[in-house]
Amino acid sequence: MLKIENLHAAVDGKPILKGLSLEIAPGEVHAIMGPNGSGKSTLSYVLAGREGYEVTEGSATFAGQDLLAMEPEERAVLGVFLAFQAPVELPGVGNANFLRTALNALRRAKGEAELDAMQFLKLARTRMKTLGMTDEMLKRSVNVGFSGGEKKRNEMLQMSMLQPRLALLDETDSGLDIDALKLVADAVNALRGPDFSALVITHYQRLLTHIVPDRVHVLAGGVIVRSGGPELAQELEASGYAGVQDGTPSKRSFDGSPVAA
Amino acid sequence: MPAVTETIETVQAVTEGGYKWGFETDIEMEFAPKGLNEDIVRFISKKKNEPAWLLEWRLKAFAMWQKMEEPRWAAVTYSPIDYQDSHYYAAPKAGPKSLDEVDPELLKTYAKLGIPLKEQAILAGVEGAGESPSDSGRMPIAVDAVFDSVSVATTFKHRLEKDGIIFCSISEAVQEHPELVRQYLGSVVPQGDNYFAALNSAVFTDGSFVYIPRGVRCPMELSTYFRINAKSTGQFERTLIIADAGSHVSYLEGCTAPMRDENQLHAAVVELVAMDDATIKYSTVQNWYPGDAEGRGGIYNFVTKRGACRGARSKISWTQVETGSAITWKYPSCILQGDDSVGEFYSVAITNNRQQADTGTKMFHIGRNTRSTIVSKGISAGRGQNTYRGLVKISPKAHGARNFTQCDSLLIGDQCGAHTVPYIENRCMSAKVEHEATTSRIAEDQLFYCRQRGLPEEEAVGMIVNGFAREVLKELPMEFAVEAQKLLQISLEGSVG
Ligand SMILES: Nc1ncnc2c1ncn2[C@@H]1O[C@H](COP(=O)(O)OP(=O)(O)O)[C@@H](O)[C@H]1O
Ligand SMILES: [Mg+2]
């Protein structure tokens, strides 16, 4: 399970997370909502171990292991997967090659046999079909020239191939049409089980009608200001984040921008 | 098994850092005395039982060399070379006449180099051995192996002879095909072309010779493995490839050397001649010992490579992956004489630790509608210095000539350097020359993305670098591309973290 206690983190010396605590039990999916700039991506980067995201206080453990002491690739081996808000382009690196290298790096680290090109291709094709992706996507450079929707699907393809135990989805639904959104939800739901946890960062309640979360949290000003069941998401969508701000309620729409009075 | 498969396995088998080809083979050698003078030139010529005209040719080159000055314009620095403190001839004593006579140490060397051991019998020159296609079902690759000063064996010769193709060591060609050698030797790179070419012309010891007859498409990749083994020796190989009208050949050279504290000189000359409608594809995977992390030892790779597109519609394509050597000074060039002839230069050069590379190409547009493409990818890490130096020269009569040049530099760390020095001399109004250049660093978000997916940092760097170099790597014969990718990653070990 994921256990975050009193987490403080700074970027460029500027405090962003200010004492965040959160527990996700095995088999649970939690959602995080909150205005822009509240620290949602920062949280996902801190958990995944990105350079420059400095933890100043607190702890984060997964499956009993101290996440914060591990290299990013060690966290990946442990089962942490981050679906990036803005997936990164790797010019000249073939998508299939990247995916297979990643899959085999994880398998190697776990002492499992690596997949050869044929085994890999077979698996990838099955997964791509369910995500509505074509073979052609395997030949292109990783995320280069992909549309926004294609990038997000590609993240989901990676997730479904790498079979994480903890998936962090950072606004994977943003910019997706309803069909693509359903495919993303299907990919997450397919992984749900007693040994899988997820943290789904989103602005929109509509994703959460397809991935029904066990808990919903509101992140504002670097701390969790409110938690509840799935109904909290609906409430937020209706009323915005007004009233849930970190002690200083101000009128903001759900994307964080001030609402004209 | 083709050379490349074993080579890949050799590379794959190794897991720890450092140069993997640094082993030394302890076999009985015959040396010329140290030093360089007319007598040494005569000694080499005599050893090789050369005709008088070739000795004269060498002596003329030596006389020219003595009057020349070592070039200093390249962006590389090194202490002066003592040309008298080196052997100019070193050969294994045990001649590879039959399998029994082959020194087992030599065979071990080739095993380590990844030269197909299944073809040991061929390497040893046993008649008729290995002439059937290899059982892996892949296209066989004919190999010529040059160990210090001599070519020790050439595989698949008889198969090639059926098509009239000559693939042998240049020493053998001097004996068997003197008229061809005499006609073409020095016709692209004359003896006095430059300091190192003059030195090579005087003392070259071996190298490969290829002749593809009219209209013949060479049925397999030809390749040569060069190995410097002996201490205090230079290697001066000379390669000559002639593609007659309408023929086609793809040739690849690979090279390695032991790890030593001393610097060893490698001054090769490669000449290519393409007649009407002929195509020569020349690929290099250069992996000479680069020296240690502090810059001790390593090969000085001072090489002259030039191809002449003599015929109309002929094409010469250079692809190089330069990962080794302490210093690389090398400008594979094309003289585009024939109308509509095409020159290409695809290069990846890596400098890590204290390595220095000054490399590029020259494209001489002489014929009408000649076209050239230059794609250079320089990767600098550690304290490496990487310079692209190129010349595109278009003569007044080269109407409709076109050149496209792209130079990209990738920097890893903040103590390395990348430099781009493109010269353009365009004396023809109707010609078109385009140049693009970029310099970039491996982005933090790219590294993080790869590592988040489980790639260890060095593997992540290797992946990004290979992506950066892909346009060039895809020009390599397919099997070698895999080998080259692994080399790029190995060469960058220790450059991150
Ligand atoms: N690399 C960075 N450098 C400086 N400030 C940053 C950086 N990344 C995030 N921030 C700041 O941290 C705060 C939280 O950002 P982020 O975690 O991206 O929020 P969210 O994902 O909730 O929109 C914002 O004020 C943002 O400007
Ligand atoms: Mg964000």
Side-chain angles (χ1 to χ4, degrees):
Chain A
M1 74 137 102
L2 177 69
K3 189 169 183 180
I4 304 169
E5 279 184 309
N6 188 32
L7 189 65
H8 291 252
V11 181
D12 282 339
K14 176 183 162 198
I16 309 289
L17 300 181
K18 300 168 184 169
L20 184 147
S21 297
L22 180 67
E23 272 188 41
I24 306 181
E28 286 188 353
V29 172
H30 288 209
I32 289 208
M33 304 180 83
N36 275 339
S38 59
K40 303 183 298 295
S41 293
T42 301
L43 174 63
S44 69
Y45 289 145
V46 168
L47 293 176
R50 186 167 189 167
E51 214 173 287
Y53 289 75
E54 191 201 347
V55 175
T56 50
E57 208 184 321
S59 66
T61 61
F62 179 67
Q65 303 225 43
D66 179 5
L67 276 185
L68 304 180
M70 300 168 90
E71 296 292 335
E73 58 269 32
E74 293 170 334
R75 302 182 201 204
V77 170
L78 190 63
V80 177
F81 179 91
L82 169 59
F84 284 61
Q85 183 174 359
V88 179
E89 298 184 1
L90 302 175
V93 178
N95 211 21
N97 181 30
F98 179 70
L99 195 47
R100 185 173 155 225
T101 308
L103 183 59
N104 281 337
L106 293 184
R107 292 181 71 98
R108 202 164 59 230
K110 292 182 203 160
E112 295 168 12
E114 298 188 17
L115 294 191
D116 66 30
M118 288 316 292
Q119 294 168 315
F120 165 79
L121 213 58
K122 216 175 142 215
L123 183 63
R125 286 199 170 126
T126 323
R127 296 290 153 80
M128 287 172 76
K129 216 169 153 191
T130 56
L131 282 162
M133 294 167 74
T134 57
D135 254 27
E136 182 255 352
M137 298 274 289
L138 282 179
K139 292 181 195 131
R140 285 156 68 178
S141 291
V142 179
N143 294 324
V144 177
F146 286 27
S147 71
E150 284 172 333
K151 283 184 182 172
K152 297 298 175 78
R153 274 179 215 216
N154 202 37
E155 295 289 287
M156 290 300 97
L157 172 64
Q158 293 174 8
M159 183 181 74
S160 71
M161 295 286 287
L162 301 179
Q163 301 268 315
R165 293 164 67 200
L166 173 65
L168 311 168
L169 274 67
D170 192 356
E171 295 195 29
T172 302
D173 55 333
S174 296
L176 292 186
D177 61 33
I178 188 69
D179 294 330
L181 189 90
K182 278 185 184 152
L183 293 172
V184 168
D186 288 346
V188 176
N189 289 330
L191 289 173
R192 283 182 93 153
D195 197 29
F196 175 78
S197 309
L199 187 62
V200 179
I201 297 169
T202 181
H203 279 305
Y204 306 104
Q205 190 269 334
R206 61 175 192 163
L207 177 66
L208 302 179
T209 62
H210 298 285
I211 308 174
V212 180
D214 296 288
R215 300 285 290 164
V216 175
H217 310 276
V218 179
L219 181 59
V223 291
I224 288 178
V225 293
R226 209 175 145 192
S227 298
E231 71 288 347
L232 176 56
Q234 287 159 22
E235 184 192 318
L236 289 168
E237 181 133 333
S239 63
Y241 294 111
V244 296
Q245 295 284 314
D246 177 29
T248 52
S250 64
K251 265 204 151 344
R252 282 178 191 260
S253 74
F254 58 73
D255 68 355
S257 58
V259 172
Chain B
M1 184 167 15
V4 61
T5 312
E6 288 193 11
T7 311
I8 291 165
E9 282 167 8
T10 310
V11 174
Q12 281 173 338
V14 195
T15 48
E16 51 182 78
Y19 187 71
K20 316 297 199 292
W21 300 266
F23 57 86
E24 191 177 335
T25 311
D26 186 16
I27 48 174
E28 247 195 293
M29 299 288 288
E30 182 180 12
F31 289 97
K34 269 191 182 178
L36 183 54
N37 51 52
E38 264 195 36
D39 286 345
I40 292 290
V41 176
R42 288 177 197 279
F43 174 92
I44 293 168
S45 188
K46 185 143 183 269
K47 269 281 159 206
K48 304 211 155 273
N49 194 24
E50 286 175 353
W53 68 263
L54 189 48
L55 175 61
E56 287 308 312
W57 195 86
R58 286 177 180 274
L59 289 171
K60 189 176 153 204
F62 183 68
M64 288 173 160
W65 179 73
Q66 283 183 302
K67 292 196 194 89
M68 295 169 97
E69 297 241 344
E70 201 174 318
R72 285 285 168 198
W73 43 260
V76 297
T77 51
Y78 54 96
S79 33
I81 300 169
D82 181 356
Y83 290 92
Q84 298 305 328
D85 189 32
S86 185
H87 297 286
Y88 287 83
Y89 183 83
K93 265 189 186 166
K97 294 281 181 286
S98 80
L99 196 56
D100 293 340
E101 277 177 45
V102 179
D103 191 311
E105 290 293 323
L106 187 61
L107 292 179
K108 265 195 237 160
T109 298
Y110 289 125
K112 287 182 195 166
L113 286 178
I115 287 177
L117 270 207
K118 204 171 152 284
E119 283 137 30
Q120 272 184 24
I122 320 161
L123 276 163
V126 174
E127 279 296 304
E131 294 293 322
S132 56
S134 62
D135 44 26
S136 69
R138 296 164 81 174
M139 178 65 86
I141 297 163
V143 179
D144 182 23
V146 176
F147 193 84
D148 289 326
S149 301
V150 293
S151 165
V152 290
T154 311
T155 62
F156 289 107
K157 266 176 84 157
H158 302 292
R159 165 67 189 86
L160 294 168
E161 274 166 14
K162 280 185 199 147
D163 290 327
I165 294 166
I166 304 168
F167 178 41
C168 62
S169 71
I170 198 144
S171 309
E172 196 179 330
V174 168
Q175 306 299 325
E176 306 293 327
H177 311 280
E179 67 302 332
L180 281 174
V181 177
R182 195 168 183 175
Q183 185 182 349
Y184 290 103
L185 187 75
S187 73
V188 188
V189 180
Q191 290 128 299
D193 186 81
N194 68 71
Y195 187 80
F196 298 111
L199 177 62
N200 173 287
S201 300
V203 301
F204 75 89
T205 42
D206 224 327
S208 294
F209 177 83
V210 177
Y211 173 78
I212 315 287
R214 233 162 224 279
V216 170
R217 200 178 171 89
C218 186
M220 61 181 89
E221 295 284 337
L222 303 183
S223 74
T224 303
Y225 276 80
F226 294 101
R227 174 77 182 165
I228 297 178
N229 186 63
K231 251 191 200 102
S232 307
T233 57
Q235 180 152 325
F236 305 93
E237 85 261 0
R238 184 128 196 151
T239 294
L240 178 55
I241 299 179
I242 302 140
D244 218 327
S247 71
H248 183 284
V249 63
S250 172
Y251 177 93
L252 182 129
E253 60 173 0
C255 25
T256 59
M259 294 162 74
R260 296 189 194 290
D261 288 344
E262 60 177 5
N263 294 109
Q264 285 177 285
L265 178 62
H266 170 251
V269 172
V270 174
E271 298 178 275
L272 312 181
V273 179
M275 310 306 272
D276 285 353
D277 300 293
T279 296
I280 301 175
K281 184 173 175 59
Y282 192 106
S283 312
T284 302
V285 177
Q286 185 269 108
N287 188 27
W288 296 118
Y289 178 54
D292 68 11
E294 272 69 55
R296 275 186 302 263
I299 302 294
Y300 290 164
N301 189 35
F302 299 158
V303 169
T304 305
K305 293 185 171 179
R306 195 175 302 151
C309 282
R310 297 229 168 117
R313 298 166 304 278
S314 57
K315 175 175 172 182
I316 288 179
S317 181
W318 298 100
T319 304
Q320 60 174 27
V321 176
E322 303 282 320
T323 60
S325 296
I327 300 177
T328 295
W329 178 98
K330 160 175 185 195
Y331 315 90
S333 304
C334 297
I335 302 169
L336 304 171
Q337 287 164 283
D339 289 347
D340 301 295
S341 61
V342 175
E344 294 176 340
F345 174 74
Y346 297 96
S347 170
V348 176
I350 286 198
T351 52
N352 192 8
N353 296 318
R354 300 267 182 171
Q355 281 178 278
Q356 309 172 58
D358 193 303
T359 185
T361 185
K362 296 179 204 169
M363 294 289 175
F364 299 96
H365 290 258
I366 297 164
R368 288 169 168 261
N369 297 315
T370 46
R371 280 165 292 147
S372 63
T373 303
I374 299 170
V375 178
S376 163
K377 303 274 179 175
I379 299 148
S380 313
R383 291 163 182 264
Q385 290 294 330
N386 211 319
T387 301
Y388 167 81
R389 188 182 303 276
L391 169 66
V392 176
K393 189 169 179 172
I394 299 183
S395 74
K397 287 182 181 156
H399 298 291
R402 288 206 310 274
N403 161 266
F404 173 73
T405 300
Q406 186 185 325
C407 293
D408 298 319
S409 304
L410 186 69
L411 301 169
I412 301 171
D414 51 11
Q415 290 184 293
C416 54
H419 319 275
T420 303
V421 192
Y423 298 94
I424 298 168
E425 286 175 36
N426 186 356
R427 294 169 59 204
C428 176
M429 289 291 283
S430 64
K432 203 171 143 200
V433 179
E434 288 172 83
H435 179 93
E436 289 176 8
T438 66
T439 300
S440 55
R441 289 181 180 277
I442 291 189
E444 178 274 330
D445 63 347
Q446 293 179 323
L447 259 184
F448 175 60
Y449 191 66
C450 294
R451 295 177 76 191
Q452 204 307 298
R453 296 300 183 250
L455 271 61
E457 191 168 16
E458 288 196 339
E459 213 174 322
V461 169
M463 178 141 270
I464 295 164
V465 166
N466 272 303
F468 170 77
R470 177 147 96 169
E471 272 174 277
V472 173
L473 297 179
K474 75 176 168 52
E475 295 296 325
L476 286 174
M478 199 174 66
E479 301 92 323
F480 293 101
V482 178
E483 184 181 11
Q485 283 181 21
K486 299 200 180 287
L487 254 184
L488 291 196
Q489 188 172 328
I490 289 168
S491 305
L492 287 169
E493 273 178 10
S495 66
V496 288

